[in-house]
Amino acid sequence: MGKEEDAVDNFAAVIMLNYVEQGAGATISAADMFAFESEDRPDYYDFYEYIGEHSFDLQRYFSTLCLVYGSDPDSHSNLLDEIEKDYLDEQKDKCIATYQEIDYNWKQVLNIDSNTSS
């Protein structure tokens, strides 16, 4: 059993980024919602939250931004600027690789030709 909600987040992001006009903006708005929801969280989590169906809201925020960045680094060059400089270049590379892997995998699951979108 995995974190099914994270898989749904990834699926929604890939679909938005590849097939929806202004999809990157909508995906960034979704990420912002995760960040907003994380603001009211305490500094610690209850036990049940560690075994939940999805990652913490702040993790979902960064994961979603990562996919947007990875889908088009030139258009979103400043999207990850809140990451510490020491980790930024490495994280940008990871985001590109993560987007490519998730995009490829969903296209395989859905039997979509990899050359039909972005």
Side-chain angles (χ1 to χ4, degrees), residues 2 13-14 17 24-25 28-29 36 46 49 62 67 69 83 97:
V14 166
L17 292 166
I28 292 168
S29 292
F36 177 75
D46 292 325
E49 293 177 289
F62 280 109
L67 292 176
Y69 175 84
I83 295 174

Side-chain angles (χ1 to χ4, degrees), residues 67-78:
L67 292 176
V68 174
Y69 175 84
S71 72
D72 189 353
D74 293 332
S75 295
H76 305 291
S77 60
N78 298 323

